[in-house]
Amino acid sequence: MASQNGIPLSGDTPVGESPAGDVLYRNEKTVVTRCVMPGSGERVVFKQAFGADAIRLLRHEAGILERLAGIKGVVKIAQVPTPANTLAFHADGGIPLSELLRKHKFSIPDMVEPGRALARTLAGVHRAGVIHKDVTPSKWLFRCRWRPACQ
């Protein structure tokens, strides 16, 4: 089984057996779903990549996330069975910023604290020497009290 620092990437679970969940994000290369693991009840987010470079990209992402593990606001990798070419993250009940912005109208003062929290997280990521090349509202999950978690 392929792994990146103990993170299984070759697929402990056949794709057909992976837990179904709500799709948070989808494009031609990636599907991100949120679900509850059968048995444990643990909430996780699965990121499954498609295409020839899927395993290489997931290994790279896993390595970066290990490097960023101590930064508040950055998602943590979950050690759960995954389909092939998939990473699992702990889900803290966040809602994608894109969804929040579609459903609610916020005043500028309402967005100050979320913006500051997002900036603090990105500053920590940058101090660790990492540049997130695709910061979009669909990739930032917000929990209660506006604490962001970068996907």
Side-chain angles (χ1 to χ4, degrees):
M1 172 176 60
S3 70
Q4 172 69 26
N5 301 316
I7 299 162
L9 295 176
S10 65
D12 290 343
T13 305
V15 174
E17 294 180 20
S18 66
D22 298 324
V23 174
L24 301 176
Y25 177 81
R26 179 189 309 262
N27 68 20
E28 65 279 352
K29 295 179 183 178
T30 308
V31 174
V32 178
T33 56
R34 177 176 35 210
C35 66
V36 177
M37 293 299 293
S40 70
E42 181 179 6
R43 295 184 318 177
V44 295
V45 171
F46 288 105
K47 181 176 185 179
Q48 187 169 20
F50 302 96
D53 291 332
I55 291 174
R56 182 186 62 78
L57 292 172
L58 285 174
R59 285 182 178 156
H60 178 72
E61 183 171 356
I64 288 174
L65 287 173
E66 279 193 352
R67 205 165 131 195
L68 302 176
I71 298 172
K72 185 177 180 177
V74 174
V75 296
K76 309 298 182 236
I77 294 175
Q79 299 294 330
V80 298
T82 60
N85 303 332
T86 303
L87 283 176
F89 309 98
H90 291 283
D92 295 329
I95 298 170
L97 179 58
S98 58
E99 184 179 324
L100 280 175
L101 294 174
R102 271 194 309 274
K103 292 181 176 182
H104 304 283
K105 185 173 183 169
F106 297 99
S107 68
I108 290 174
D110 288 340
M111 295 305 294
V112 170
E113 183 51 36
R116 291 179 70 206
L118 186 75
R120 283 190 296 272
T121 298
L122 275 175
V125 168
H126 293 165
R127 276 192 299 276
V130 174
I131 303 296
H132 191 300
K133 296 179 181 176
D134 192 21
V135 177
T136 65
S138 63
K139 293 187 176 185
W140 285 86
L141 301 179
F142 280 82
R143 297 183 294 273
C144 296
R145 298 195 179 153
W146 296 104
R147 294 186 193 127
C150 178
Q151 268 184 280

